[in-house]
Amino acid sequence: MSNNNIQIFDTTLRDGEQVPGCKLNSEQKVVIAEQLDTLGVDVIEAGFPVSSPGDFKSVEAISKIVKNATVCGLTRAVENDIKVAAESLRFANKPRIHTGIGTSESHILHKFKSNRDAIIERAFEAVKYAKSFVEDVEFYAEDAGRTDNEYLARVCEAAIKAGATVLNIPDTTGYCLPSEYGAKIKYLKENVKGIEKAILSCHCHNDLGLATANSIEGVINGARQIECTINGIGERAGNTALEEVVMVLKQHPYLNLDTNINTSMLYGMSQLVSDSMGIYTQPNKAIVGANAFAHSSGIHQDGVIKNRATYEIIDPKDVGVTESAIVLTARSGRAALAYRAKNVGYELTKLQLDDVYANFLSFADRKKEINDNDIHQIIETSNVYQ
Ligand code: KIV
Ligand code: ZN
């Protein structure tokens, strides 16, 4: 792994599956995990094994079939959680235990009714115990986004001392600004003793719509892993969207940060997760939404027909979408109509096009979107064709 390679840690099957109303059965999880492995993710967080016998079974089944990726199980800083996770991961080629504890004032005082030193002690003991089962242990400092940097650095140092290989810095509540989250990562990189023994990981939530921006700021400032989900699904407003961070890095090569993701699988992966979970993807969703490569206004259509790059920064084929769509509506112009007419077999002269276009507009004012059948009808009923 080069120092500029960003590890993609997919948590669709754990944090993503925490979406209200969504439930995947073990078979569906195995299918998704197999596809994630082929997609090229580096880590698959397969579940929270102690949470239910079903989740334990899923993590175990995924551990057996995943060939390349590390398989990870989540735990609290609780001995039994860690023991159960280790057992569920026993068949994995590359097992990882992901353990941790809340570190913000609100977690320490209200959730744990504890104090700062006692939390550090629990973090240390949890990592040390996890380390007795597996070599690869990731530590999370829950609500790190609202934890003061000095204390967070002390927690991270304790986790490294106990043997953590990855330090996860979650913005659990999606509160941070990109500049703030980037500065936090930079601070830890520069101030945590022993940081060279571990990598920093970004785990951002999308409550303010900043999860992607925060994760990108995190890796620009030295983190080397991004935790994310397909379609950005997850609790509340969701997690960082895998397809977004991967394409941001790909489309900005001067950042000199790459991933191992086969981007041409992104659209198919999005469809698989959305169909399996029964969670509809919003049409304007970046990268994988139905309208991500659709052009409907006349000015844009004219530009795209002349040269795709006028209004597209991504080649749709790069993410597995066959081609851009020129959608015909009452806002479309002659160029789009001629283009779509040609696709269904009509070469219109300029004169014919003027006449067909007038017919098209009156049709399009009545119907939201014009399909191929409508085009035939519009042309055949135009004066020039009678
Ligand atoms: O958002 C979060 O803090 C988490 C941790 C449990 C890793 O999902
Ligand atoms: Zn989370």
Side-chain angles (χ1 to χ4, degrees), residues 269-379:
M269 203 65 229
S270 159
Q271 301 277 92
L272 173 68
V273 168
S274 145
D275 290 349
S276 313
M277 289 193 169
I279 294 176
Y280 166 78
T281 305
Q282 78 207 55
N284 59 322
K285 168 78 186 63
I287 319 294
V288 292
N291 293 346
F293 297 98
H295 306 274
S296 70
S297 80
I299 295 171
H300 285 213
Q301 291 175 329
D302 185 43
V304 168
I305 290 166
K306 286 176 178 145
N307 182 347
R308 194 191 56 72
T310 315
Y311 287 104
E312 276 182 3
I313 58 153
I314 298 170
D315 183 338
K317 291 189 187 68
D318 278 358
V319 299
V321 173
T322 334
E323 58 177 356
S324 321
I326 298 293
V327 182
L328 288 182
T329 70
R331 304 295 147 255
S332 300
R334 285 172 175 72
L337 179 60
Y339 174 86
R340 287 280 303 272
K342 193 172 172 198
N343 281 356
V344 293
Y346 299 92
E347 283 277 6
L348 300 174
T349 64
K350 187 175 174 320
L351 226 81
Q352 286 170 330
L353 181 59
D354 283 345
D355 183 49
V356 171
Y357 186 64
N359 201 16
F360 160 77
L361 281 184
S362 70
F363 215 95
D365 267 338
R366 280 174 276 128
K367 195 168 181 247
K368 253 198 188 142
E369 196 180 317
I370 304 298
N371 61 32
D372 286 352
N373 279 340
D374 299 329
I375 296 174
H376 284 291
Q377 201 189 334
I378 290 165
I379 295 177

Side-chain angles (χ1 to χ4, degrees), residues 186-220:
K186 187 167 190 284
Y187 179 89
L188 296 173
K189 218 38 213 148
E190 289 172 355
N191 292 284
V192 171
K193 284 188 213 84
I195 192 67
E196 63 290 345
K197 297 189 196 130
I199 63 165
L200 289 165
S201 179
C202 310
H203 179 115
C204 298
H205 280 267
N206 207 30
D207 300 67
L208 291 172
L210 293 171
T212 294
N214 285 350
S215 301
I216 296 297
E217 273 304 306
V219 292
I220 288 174

Side-chain angles (χ1 to χ4, degrees), residues 49-256:
V50 85
S51 66
S52 74
D55 224 35
F56 180 96
K57 238 184 70 196
S58 299
V59 177
E60 192 179 53
I62 289 167
S63 297
K64 286 181 183 165
I65 56 99
V66 166
K67 293 189 177 74
N68 305 308
T70 294
V71 180
C72 176
L74 184 83
T75 84
R76 294 165 295 182
V78 170
E79 277 205 359
N80 189 50
D81 284 26
I82 295 168
K83 194 155 76 90
V84 171
E87 203 189 328
S88 70
L89 291 165
R90 68 194 181 286
F91 298 109
N93 286 336
K94 294 188 253 173
R96 175 183 294 180
I97 293 178
H98 187 192
T99 189
I101 195 160
T103 54
S104 65
E105 285 303 285
S106 107
H107 280 243
I108 296 174
L109 299 178
H110 306 300
K111 189 164 144 187
F112 299 114
K113 307 207 181 322
S114 184
N115 63 65
R116 287 184 157 205
D117 288 341
I119 291 294
I120 291 183
E121 184 60 25
R122 274 189 69 180
F124 180 85
E125 290 304 329
V127 174
K128 195 168 134 212
Y129 188 58
K131 204 74 184 173
S132 71
F133 297 101
V134 294
E135 190 42 47
D136 190 3
V137 176
E138 174 168 338
F139 171 78
Y140 65 84
E142 195 179 4
D143 207 10
R146 294 187 299 171
T147 303
D148 78 76
N149 290 347
E150 241 175 83
Y151 175 66
L152 187 57
R154 283 179 58 209
V155 180
C156 289
E157 277 168 17
I160 291 175
K161 246 192 208 152
T165 45
V166 182
L167 299 171
N168 178 9
I169 311 301
D171 183 21
T172 305
T173 55
Y175 177 73
C176 287
L177 289 172
S179 55
E180 211 179 337
Y181 189 75
K184 190 175 281 290
I185 296 293
K186 187 167 190 284
Y187 179 89
L188 296 173
K189 218 38 213 148
E190 289 172 355
N191 292 284
V192 171
K193 284 188 213 84
I195 192 67
E196 63 290 345
K197 297 189 196 130
I199 63 165
L200 289 165
S201 179
C202 310
H203 179 115
C204 298
H205 280 267
N206 207 30
D207 300 67
L208 291 172
L210 293 171
T212 294
N214 285 350
S215 301
I216 296 297
E217 273 304 306
V219 292
I220 288 174
N221 282 283
R224 282 297 172 267
Q225 178 176 276
I226 295 177
E227 309 197 1
C228 44
T229 62
I230 301 292
N231 300 335
I233 54 158
E235 292 242 14
R236 308 183 309 279
N239 289 57
T240 301
L242 182 149
E243 61 279 4
E244 293 177 13
V245 285
V246 166
M247 290 311 292
V248 170
L249 297 181
K250 185 172 170 132
Q251 297 308 112
H252 291 275
Y254 61 87
L255 290 176
N256 203 19

